[in-house]
Amino acid sequence: AQSVAQPEDQVNVAEGNPLTVKCTYSVSGNPYLFWYVQYPNRGLQFLLKYITGDNLVKGSYGFEAEFNKSQTSFHLKKPSALVSDSALYFCAVRDVGYSTLTFGKGTMLLVSP
Amino acid sequence: EAQVTQNPRYLITVTGKKLTVTCSQNMNHEYMSWYRQDPGLGLRQIYYSMNVEVTDKGDVPEGYKVSRKEKRNFPLILESPSPNQTSLYFCASSRQLKTVTANTGELFFGEGSRLTVL
């Protein structure tokens, strides 16, 4: 089975500070990992993915994520948060033996001015 | 413009009255899927389709039907809606990987359909 956990319902950060949104996963094989963002009243948008190779992957809007196999984590990061980054963030995983993604429950990111 | 279009965006209906939520994509994607989003539960997959005439159950298929007669369309059918199907529904599409039976993971989502069943 494949599963993903986002341990924080909400993350609060001040504008200009670095942000981290946490994600851990469970798979039996090699994971394919993804981050999506959902702005209010919109559908989800793809941010970035890890398939193989470099553990640090870069994505849209200045976001990056670090794959850590030993800790089974794929945390989303950004060096300097913007108020416009406030949104709901979803982590997702696909095990090598599966054909579809499993999403986490989402983490609300609130960036204050 | 590449997009996934869902209709209706908002719908209030009553228990037992059949309804269909349409989904259409213009990217020639093989893979399409329906999700429902509920507070505290995140995104759960209802049904998915790897290609025309190929559909499979997701995690929460009870009370729903789908069909994939054309590549671009993937309607979601609620034959007899119940209040527990009140939710925000999303359709998504993606290209298929060439080497394995799986999508690329880069899903394109529609804007969502908010359904209320009274």
Side-chain angles (χ1 to χ4, degrees), chain A residues 6 26 28 31 44-45 92 94-95:
Chain A
Q6 294 181 241
S26 176
S28 56
L44 280 70
Q45 296 176 35
R94 181 170 71 79
D95 196 345

Coordinates of all heavy atoms in Angstrom, one line a residue, chain A residues 6 26 28 31 44-45 92 94-95:
Chain A
Q6 N 0.7 14.4 6.1 CA 1.1 15.8 6.3 C 0.7 16.1 7.7 O -0.4 16.3 8.1 CB 0.4 16.7 5.3 CG 0.8 16.4 3.9 CD 0.0 17.3 2.9 OE1 -0.7 16.8 2.0 NE2 0.3 18.6 3.0
S26 N 4.9 6.5 2.8 CA 5.1 5.1 3.0 C 4.8 4.3 1.7 O 3.7 4.4 1.2 CB 4.2 4.5 4.1 OG 4.4 3.1 4.3
S28 N 6.2 0.6 -0.7 CA 7.0 -0.7 -0.6 C 8.1 -0.7 -1.6 O 9.1 -1.4 -1.4 CB 6.1 -1.9 -0.9 OG 5.4 -1.7 -2.1
P31 N 9.6 5.5 -4.4 CA 8.5 6.5 -4.5 C 8.7 7.5 -5.6 O 9.8 7.9 -5.9 CB 8.5 7.2 -3.1 CG 10.0 7.2 -2.8 CD 10.6 5.9 -3.4
L44 N -6.4 22.2 -8.0 CA -5.0 22.0 -7.6 C -4.1 22.3 -8.8 O -4.4 22.0 -10.0 CB -4.7 20.6 -7.2 CG -5.2 20.2 -5.7 CD1 -6.7 20.2 -5.6 CD2 -4.5 18.9 -5.3
Q45 N -2.9 22.8 -8.5 CA -1.9 23.0 -9.6 C -0.6 22.3 -9.2 O -0.2 22.3 -8.0 CB -1.5 24.5 -9.6 CG -2.7 25.4 -10.1 CD -2.3 26.9 -10.1 OE1 -1.1 27.2 -10.4 NE2 -3.2 27.7 -9.7
A92 N 1.8 14.3 -2.5 CA 1.2 13.1 -3.1 C 2.3 12.1 -3.4 O 3.5 12.5 -3.7 CB 0.4 13.4 -4.4
R94 N 3.3 8.2 -5.5 CA 2.9 7.0 -6.3 C 4.0 6.0 -6.1 O 5.2 6.3 -6.4 CB 2.7 7.3 -7.7 CG 2.3 6.1 -8.6 CD 1.8 6.6 -10.0 NE 2.9 7.0 -10.8 CZ 3.8 6.2 -11.4 NH1 3.7 4.9 -11.3 NH2 4.7 6.8 -12.2
D95 N 3.7 4.8 -5.7 CA 4.6 3.7 -5.6 C 4.9 3.2 -7.0 O 4.0 3.3 -7.8 CB 4.1 2.6 -4.6 CG 5.1 1.6 -4.2 OD1 6.2 1.6 -4.7 OD2 4.8 0.9 -3.2

